Amino acid sequence: MAVVLGRLKAFSGLAPFAVYAFVFLGLPVIAIVVGAFTDPATGEFTLGNIQVAASGIYLQGYVTSIELSIVTAVVPGIIGLVVAHVVQTSGSSALRRVVSTASGVFANFGGVQLAFLFIASLGSSGLVVGWLKALGFDPYDHGFSLYTFVGIAIVYMYFQIPLMILVITPALEGLKPAWREAADNLGASGWQYWRMVGGPVLVPSFLGSVLLLFGGAFSAYATTQALTSGSLAITPIQIGGFLNGNVLSGQENVGKALGLGMIVIIAVVMVFYSVLQRRASKWLR
Amino acid sequence: MVAVADVGVVVRPRVPRGPSTGSLTRWIVLLLVGAYFLIPLYAAAAFAMETPDGGVSADVFAGIPSQEGFADAFGLSVNLALVTIVITLALMIPTAVYVHLRLPRVQRLFEGITLLPIVIPPVVLIVGVLQVAPGSLKGTPYLLALEYAVLAMPFAYRSLDSGLRALSLKTLVEASTSLGGGWFTTLFRVLLPNLRSAVLSATILTIALVLGEYTMASLDQYETFPVWMVVFSQDDAHVSVAVSLLSLVVVWLLLLGISLIDRRRGRTTTGEP
């Protein structure tokens, strides 16, 4: 009994944090889960919201969101890996320091400020578009627009590449030079080393990092909203639309069902991420 | 004979690592990526300073404070940042210290909870918040600060955790209590001075978060600094681009400050076991 009381007393120090997290994070999430299964007219249990959220324009929203997130996770993932490798093997500690500091800064940077930076460069009257026009090539005549899928993907890369460099560099540093030397001694070519030693060790870290990038892109709202004013129908924009009042009667809770779907997708991604992290940490000590 | 052969094979790998990372390829990669990152910055500066008659002038930066709505929006964001910082530090410092000291076994659980906001996108969180918040809270912008403290949890925890790990916490606390210091004295006069750089980096990251947060503020319909930028861009995109650039530079300087602090901390703590 005394032991139990002692335990309880020890845990009571956690109470302020636990209460805060429950009220400002737990309750809103519970409201979303409950709302997703509630009929707004009668207040009764229903699967109708989920059905609407999983069909038609909302299903298309998920598809576009996932496509955008895959593109803006895989492409920056590969570019980030190449840059990190190039920097790491350059042997220049000054270059390494500049790149890691710059990555820390750029990776923290998204939202509306980023949108304006790109409007000034790749918007229809942007500077880079002006240069291209002077060369006789108007990208806006050839199907390009900053305010579409491709344009948004280019903008997202601006914070995804530095993030990839930050998270993959420790893994690259974990590749022991001794392994490379051992492979060389045994007569392996560079390609054989990467295919049979370096690659397999890096794969879990690389995939884990790409999943992290996917999660970031999937939940992003501000950059796309500021650039397209909501015309690119990805799920976060559609959820925002419900709050801005564009709701058909009877569909008031579809936004919550969409939100629940996003939470489930990110949670699944994060489970895979932690599995891969555990795999990766086997070699990287 | 064997020894000679050994020397031979040890020396061999020191030659450059094959053609895939040749220095020409390296420079091409760095040049292309560098251009992708620097051109938008240059473009924004040029776009902001462009005058209608085709000249260049930096007046646009000087004119920012007098733009309509700027002072209110920026003031609101600064207030939100201050409130968020107070909540975050008051909540996270004692809890992090307590967990490290008394409940090391729940450290993983605590870390897990602080990481939860990463799984809940802000656009989803605000939907739930507006559903459950009572009218009195919805009527004030400081509801945002209460939620920003949640968004700040992951990195506030990380800063404090790495700061605490670098301390010999138990020794400090035991020394303080055996000299008669109570819990508050220990926290404020012993631990806080030792956690200065961790607290500072948590604070700077919180400022950067609040000054840039658009999603929740716009959906809660309060005109904070980023929301103002988007609204104002309908009138004058040049000013919005100038403001973006300026606010980025400020945030970058703050973040650079953190990385310098981190490096100094790294240097002073490497000697410890």
Side-chain angles (χ1 to χ4, degrees):
Chain A
M1 192 62 198
V3 178
V4 175
L5 274 180
R7 283 258 169 87
L8 271 181
K9 215 178 139 199
F11 275 99
S12 69
L14 283 179
F17 172 79
V19 169
Y20 194 93
F22 178 74
V23 170
F24 293 103
L25 182 62
L27 281 183
V29 172
I30 291 172
I32 284 166
V33 176
V34 171
F37 294 104
T38 306
D39 187 322
T42 63
E44 280 166 21
F45 175 86
T46 176
L47 288 176
N49 304 318
I50 307 281
Q51 275 160 2
V52 175
S55 60
I57 52 166
Y58 298 116
L59 180 64
Q60 188 52 49
Y62 276 121
V63 171
T64 312
S65 274
I66 291 173
E67 282 171 355
L68 180 66
S69 308
I70 290 176
V71 170
T72 56
V74 173
V75 176
I78 293 170
I79 297 175
L81 176 69
V82 169
V83 173
H85 173 69
V86 159
V87 169
Q88 219 241 320
T89 54
S90 71
S92 155
S93 68
L95 179 64
R96 221 177 293 177
R97 212 163 30 214
V98 167
V99 171
S100 93
T101 308
S103 302
V105 167
F106 281 103
N108 273 296
F109 160 34
V112 297
Q113 285 99 331
L114 183 61
F116 284 118
L117 227 60
F118 272 89
I119 289 173
S121 357
L122 288 175
S124 46
S125 58
L127 198 77
V128 176
V129 171
W131 291 345
L132 290 173
K133 273 186 196 162
L135 293 172
F137 177 82
D138 184 350
Y140 279 78
D141 282 348
H142 293 77
F144 173 83
S145 166
L146 180 61
Y147 315 105
T148 57
F149 187 96
V150 175
I152 302 289
I154 293 177
V155 178
Y156 277 17
M157 287 193 352
Y158 207 78
F159 57 86
Q160 296 283 59
I161 293 175
L163 183 58
M164 183 67 184
I165 295 176
L166 283 184
V167 292
I168 201 69
T169 297
L172 285 170
E173 282 169 353
L175 291 176
K176 308 261 184 314
W179 299 344
R180 178 75 198 223
E181 286 161 13
D184 286 350
N185 288 345
L186 293 169
S189 65
W191 163 244
Q192 277 175 317
Y193 166 75
W194 282 114
R195 192 167 60 87
M196 300 168 92
V197 182
V201 171
L202 267 189
V203 161
S205 306
F206 176 75
L207 291 179
S209 307
V210 167
L211 287 180
L212 203 66
L213 265 58
F214 177 94
F218 189 65
S219 49
Y221 168 86
T223 313
T224 306
Q225 172 69 22
L227 274 176
T228 68
S229 309
S231 66
L232 184 71
I234 56 176
T235 307
I237 301 283
Q238 289 175 332
I239 295 175
F242 277 92
L243 280 185
N244 288 331
N246 321 319
V247 197
L248 293 172
S249 134
Q251 295 202 347
E252 289 89 345
N253 278 342
V254 172
K256 288 168 198 129
L258 286 172
L260 179 62
M262 286 192 76
I263 295 176
V264 170
I265 291 173
I266 298 180
V268 168
V269 165
M270 284 300 141
V271 167
F272 280 109
Y273 169 73
S274 68
V275 170
L276 286 166
Q277 277 303 88
R278 214 166 301 151
R279 269 283 184 82
S281 65
K282 200 163 78 181
W283 293 104
L284 306 174
R285 276 179 195 153
Chain B
M1 198 56 212
V2 173
V4 174
D6 272 346
V7 171
V9 280
V10 172
V11 170
R12 225 183 94 207
R14 300 199 179 190
V15 292
R17 288 186 167 178
S20 62
T21 51
S23 66
L24 183 66
T25 326
R26 172 172 313 160
W27 285 113
I28 291 173
V29 168
L30 291 176
L31 208 70
L32 285 176
V33 175
Y36 170 70
F37 280 95
L38 295 179
I39 286 175
L41 291 174
Y42 171 76
F47 187 87
M49 294 195 284
E50 195 177 69
T51 54
D53 53 19
V56 174
S57 152
D59 290 349
V60 65
F61 291 107
I64 290 171
S66 57
Q67 296 295 344
E68 197 187 334
F70 172 84
D72 288 342
F74 193 71
L76 175 59
S77 279
V78 169
N79 281 339
L80 288 176
L82 291 176
V83 175
T84 308
I85 288 165
V86 170
I87 297 173
T88 305
L89 296 183
L91 202 62
M92 298 301 283
I93 296 175
T95 314
V97 170
Y98 190 83
V99 168
H100 270 259
L101 205 58
R102 290 277 192 78
L103 297 166
R105 264 181 304 171
V106 298
Q107 243 177 60
R108 299 285 310 246
L109 174 73
F110 178 54
E111 183 181 358
I113 296 173
T114 62
L115 291 179
L116 272 182
I118 294 179
V119 187
I120 319 290
V123 66
V124 179
L125 185 58
I126 190 70
V127 172
V129 168
L130 292 179
Q131 175 79 21
V132 293
S136 54
L137 264 180
K138 270 197 257 186
T140 154
Y142 292 96
L143 174 62
L144 287 171
L146 292 166
E147 290 302 326
Y148 289 166
V150 171
L151 298 188
M153 274 178 0
F155 48 81
Y157 170 78
R158 271 205 206 169
S159 300
L160 293 173
D161 182 63
S162 67
L164 283 167
R165 271 171 208 277
L167 294 183
S168 3
L169 194 58
K170 224 174 181 132
T171 317
L172 284 175
V173 173
E174 276 166 11
S176 166
T177 28
S178 68
L179 288 171
W183 172 238
F184 275 93
T185 317
T186 308
L187 187 60
F188 281 97
R189 301 190 50 193
V190 179
L191 295 181
L192 268 187
N194 276 299
L195 287 171
R196 223 171 5 206
S197 66
V199 171
L200 193 61
S201 87
T203 307
I204 292 175
L205 285 167
T206 308
I207 295 175
L209 171 103
V210 177
L211 289 188
E213 209 286 331
Y214 172 81
T215 307
M216 295 180 96
S218 69
L219 292 171
D220 195 20
Q221 317 221 332
Y222 281 100
E223 195 164 299
T224 58
F225 177 52
V227 178
W228 172 81
M229 260 193 302
V230 173
V231 173
F232 195 81
S233 72
Q234 318 287 330
D235 291 345
D236 189 342
H238 291 271
V239 172
S240 287
V241 171
V243 176
S244 299
L245 197 61
L246 205 62
S247 73
L248 282 175
V249 170
V250 170
V251 169
W252 284 347
L253 289 178
L254 289 174
L255 291 169
L256 269 182
I258 298 188
S259 74
L260 292 180
I261 293 166
D262 276 350
R263 198 169 306 149
R264 235 178 51 200
R265 192 166 67 197
R267 208 177 294 147
T268 49
T269 53
T270 39
E272 290 191 14

